[in-house]
């Protein structure tokens, strides 16, 4: 029997975001697995959950019993779920799948039923402060044969208001905002109405300029109230989006039935979900078109595999959350699942830049708009720990999530 000998957490920042990788070492020399446990905004809490709680629970146990161990990790603390624990469990879970595939000498996709496609189509983000910048960004992506583009206006332009140090990046083309009241607190201010108007203008411009040979996406990022979201989803119908992402805030998912009735715009939700009770009603009610959960925040490959299979029965596709704060290990695990899922839709990718390919040998490879895994056993991504140590994580207070409406009220980020 191969058992768990040690569990370690490696923190690194090779491309400007704090990443958390879990390494499960076994009783067999040289046999180990890697998993992504990146909750970049609360990475220290995840480290503690892995090292202080899960490690003592798991040492000496049989690595082959993934489902048993997933349930053990989840039930052991009695209270379960939530992004901190899910990431800790998810990191170990992915590492156990990596080990199982290495023992079998197979790429992970072959444990999941085998390939139904050779590679996964990706989408990347294009943003700009104005239409000209947006055009340049899109042309650059089209030049790389990226055919699915998420369009955003205004990204990167700081809209810091008021006093203090809590300013940050405003999301989504906010333009001029109403001045906040005297004494308003610092934050990333935005105006939902201005955002909606400027985004409609940008989508119209892009569709006119680039025609139908490009798939357009847009992420509302919870920036509208429910009835604004319904109107916006209807307004963008004429731009024929591939999908509209997170038009409703996590707290307002009860509006999805009305949203579905209001528009034929394909809907993607929600990267913030952490448990089946959130996604299951939307899938079984056929209220959304794409599942967007983040694999490590969901608890790893074990629950994601079940979600993908369930969604297939209801005609819902997957487009797992894939931002820059998902390590190449997390992207690779998602990719293997996508290659085995008939109902895969699209892979969100922020390219592996800077030192990431060297720190993570075996990174999935992007070619002409498709992402390919390495063909090594397991998920195929390794970690150069010595090199990773040269890019230490940086603690900071998160600023961009301090979003505020024009009158200074905190809003979902
Ligand atoms: Mg999103």
């Amino acid at each position: 029997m191969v058992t768990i000998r040690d569990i370690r957490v490696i923190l690194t920042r090779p491309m400007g975001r704090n990443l958390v990788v879990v390494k499960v070492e076994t009783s067999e020399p040289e046999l180990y697995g890697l998993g992504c446990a990146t909750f970049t905004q609360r990475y220290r809490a995840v480290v503690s959950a892995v090292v202080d709680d899960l490690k003592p629970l798991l040492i000496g146990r049989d690595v082959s019993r993934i489902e048993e161990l997933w349930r053990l990790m989840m039930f052991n603390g009695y209270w379960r779920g939530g992004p901190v624990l899910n990431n800790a469990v998810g990191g170990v879970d992915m590492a156990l799948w990596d080990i199982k595939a290495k023992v079998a000498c197979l790429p992970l996709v072959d444990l999941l039923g085998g390939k139904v496609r050779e590679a996964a189509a990706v989408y990347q983000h294009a943003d700009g402060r104005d239409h000209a910048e947006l055009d340049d960004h899109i042309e650059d992506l089209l030049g790389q044969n990226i055919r699915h583009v998420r369009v955003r206006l205004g990204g990167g332009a700081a809209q810091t208001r008021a006093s203090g140090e809590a300013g940050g990046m405003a999301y989504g083309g906010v333009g001029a905002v109403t001045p906040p009241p005297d004494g308003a607190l610092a934050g990333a201010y935005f105006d939902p109405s201005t955002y909606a108007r400027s985004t409609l203008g940008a989508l119209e411009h892009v569709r006119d300029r680039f025609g139908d040979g490009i798939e357009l996406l847009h992420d509302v990022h919870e920036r509208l109230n429910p009835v604004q979201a319904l109107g916006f989803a209807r307004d963008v119908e004429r731009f024929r989006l591939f999908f509209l992402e997170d038009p409703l805030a996590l707290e307002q998912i009860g509006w999805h039935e009305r949203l579905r009735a209001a528009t034929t715009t394909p809907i993607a939700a929600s990267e913030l979900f952490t448990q089946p009770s959130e996604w299951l009603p939307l899938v079984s009610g056929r209220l959304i078109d794409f599942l967007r959960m983040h694999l490590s925040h969901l608890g790893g490959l074990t629950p994601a595999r079940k979600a993908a299979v369930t969604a297939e029965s209801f005609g819902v596709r997957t487009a797992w959350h894939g931002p820059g704060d998902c390590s190449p290990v997390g992207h690779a695990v998602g990719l293997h699942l996508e290659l085995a899922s008939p109902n895969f839709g699209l892979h969100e990718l922020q390219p592996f830049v800077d030192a990431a390919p060297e720190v993570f040998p075996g990174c999935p490879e992007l070619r002409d708009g498709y992402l390919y895994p390495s063909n090594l056993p397991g998920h195929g991504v390794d970690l150069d720990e010595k090199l990773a140590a040269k890019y230490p994580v940086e603690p900071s207070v998160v600023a961009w999530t301090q979003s505020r409406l024009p009158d200074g009220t905190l809003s979902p980020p």
Side-chain angles (χ1 to χ4, degrees), residues 4-33:
I4 296 173
R5 180 173 53 80
D6 196 9
I7 300 177
R8 298 190 293 114
V9 180
I10 297 103
L11 301 175
T12 186
R13 189 182 166 91
M15 47 182 182
R17 303 275 190 99
N18 297 335
L19 302 177
V20 183
V21 178
V22 172
K23 186 169 191 174
V24 174
E25 297 177 344
T26 75
S27 52
E28 290 291 311
E30 308 299 317
L31 177 61
Y32 61 86

Side-chain angles (χ1 to χ4, degrees), residues 228-242:
Q228 286 175 322
L230 265 58
F232 185 79
R234 225 168 30 198
D235 288 343
V236 299
E237 266 182 21
R238 66 186 193 273
F239 307 128
R240 304 174 296 284
L241 297 189
F242 188 84

Side-chain angles (χ1 to χ4, degrees), residues 39 41-42 150 152 166-174 187-192 195 218-225 245-251 270-272 321 325 398-405 409-413:
F39 181 178
Q41 295 87 352
R42 293 291 182 268
R150 194 185 86 169
R152 180 175 79 162
M169 184 186 295
Y171 189 94
V174 294
Y189 278 73
F190 74 102
D191 180 341
Y195 150 72
H218 178 68
D219 186 358
V220 176
H221 225 278
E222 313 181 289
R223 286 306 177 90
L224 299 173
N225 68 40
E245 183 172 330
D246 284 337
L248 295 167
L250 179 64
E251 293 79 6
S270 168
E271 61 199 45
L272 293 174
H321 188 227
D325 49 339
V398 183
W400 72 269
T401 51
Q402 299 181 45
S403 304
R404 294 188 184 276
L405 296 171
T409 308
L410 268 176
S411 171

